[in-house]
Amino acid sequence: MRILVINPNTTASMTAKIGEAAASVASAGTEIVAVNPADGPPSIEGYFDEVFAIPGVIAEMGKAPAADAYVIACFDDTGLDAARCAAEAPVIGIGEAAFHLASLVAGRFSVVTTLARSVPAIEHNLAKYGLASRCARVRSSEVAVLDLERPGSNARHRISDEIARAIREDRAEAIVLGCAGMADLAHSLSEEHGVPVLDGVVCAVTLAESLFKVGLKTSKIGGYAAPRGKRFAGMFASASPMGAGSPGWSGGSQRD
């Protein structure tokens, strides 16, 4: 199978790290293609950045309509609902994937993310997914996303300290890392703290393979129905779900 892993920000070094994490857990015969849009924010830190990243996510999906599954590699699950409208193939957000897998290996888990401004979006998603009661707390390490890419930063140390506090103060039995840029830290942090530490990228790839294996696709009835045919105006005209220049959604579109 072929999985398109989309990093919604424009930082290519982070995309490479995400691709390596995805490939490390992929089954033999699974092709991982990791991409990021050319336009948009270099990191996603809060609601404002998220809005400007979503068009790039949908555009990257439109370039690969034959993918067997898509992974949205931002922990806020940036554009996840819109992406599911755009495809019949499964679309997995790394946040939702990590929450579900954490709930299978621990009674309660805590999330350790980057900045405090990201906490409300994660809490909102936990409630939306019905898993808020399983999460003891969403914690910020006050590490900027791009510091995860900066050699010599103390990012790992600060994340590790926050994990220790989560285990001690929250009685967390597992830790979910709340940023795709932390993908390379999960194994060593799990060994250091003696609890499961989950990275959403590997969780999402595993779930994408499982859905493909059993032949499940995104429902096209209700909220994830294909976009209705209409022409968008101005700078978004090329994203119109009909006619020339359409991204060519694999889910098709309804026409008036």
Side-chain angles (χ1 to χ4, degrees):
M1 70 174 297
R2 185 171 187 261
I3 302 176
L4 186 73
V5 180
I6 306 171
N7 170 19
N9 71 48
T10 61
T11 300
S13 58
M14 191 174 298
T15 304
K17 182 194 299 185
I18 289 167
E20 290 174 4
S24 73
V25 74
S27 301
T30 295
E31 178 188 6
I32 299 293
V33 179
V35 300
N36 60 260
D39 302 314
S43 61
I44 299 172
E45 296 169 313
Y47 296 123
F48 190 84
D49 293 339
E50 180 181 25
V51 169
F52 292 96
I54 293 173
V57 169
I58 303 302
E60 291 302 321
M61 292 179 66
K63 296 174 186 177
D68 296 303
Y70 303 88
V71 168
I72 308 299
C74 174
F75 198 78
D76 292 355
D77 291 343
T78 300
L80 178 58
D81 288 329
R84 285 177 173 160
C85 294
E88 287 184 351
V91 185
I92 310 296
I94 66 170
E96 186 174 15
F99 299 149
H100 279 294
L101 266 63
S103 73
L104 299 179
V105 298
R108 55 195 281 128
F109 60 87
S110 285
V111 178
V112 175
T113 189
T114 50
L115 301 177
R117 66 176 57 234
S118 296
V119 171
I122 295 171
E123 291 177 335
H124 172 82
N125 283 346
L126 281 160
K128 175 182 174 181
Y129 303 148
L131 290 169
S133 65
R134 300 295 295 275
C135 181
R137 184 174 175 182
V138 180
R139 290 175 166 268
S140 62
S141 59
E142 293 308 314
V143 171
V145 171
L146 294 180
D147 281 351
L148 295 165
E149 301 297 296
R150 183 166 60 84
S153 79
N154 67 344
R156 188 193 182 284
H157 176 74
R158 296 178 73 169
I159 293 165
S160 180
D161 282 353
E162 203 61 39
I163 289 174
R165 282 190 283 271
I167 295 170
R168 182 176 64 251
E169 298 172 11
D170 308 343
R171 302 196 312 278
E173 300 161 11
I175 301 295
V176 172
L177 296 178
C179 179
M182 300 177 183
D184 58 334
L185 304 179
H187 180 70
S188 65
L189 289 170
S190 181
E191 289 192 333
E192 177 181 343
H193 292 282
V195 299
V197 176
L198 290 84
D199 158 53
V201 175
V202 300
C203 293
V205 169
T206 301
L207 288 179
E209 288 187 330
S210 297
L211 291 173
F212 176 77
K213 184 176 181 179
V214 299
L216 290 176
K217 296 184 178 182
T218 302
S219 175
K220 294 288 108 179
I221 297 175
Y224 294 146
R228 290 185 61 83
K230 62 188 71 174
R231 294 200 180 276
F232 296 170
M235 64 185 294
F236 295 119
S238 63
S240 301
M242 62 180 293
S246 167
W249 309 129
S250 58
S253 62
Q254 296 176 343
R255 296 176 180 272
D256 292 326

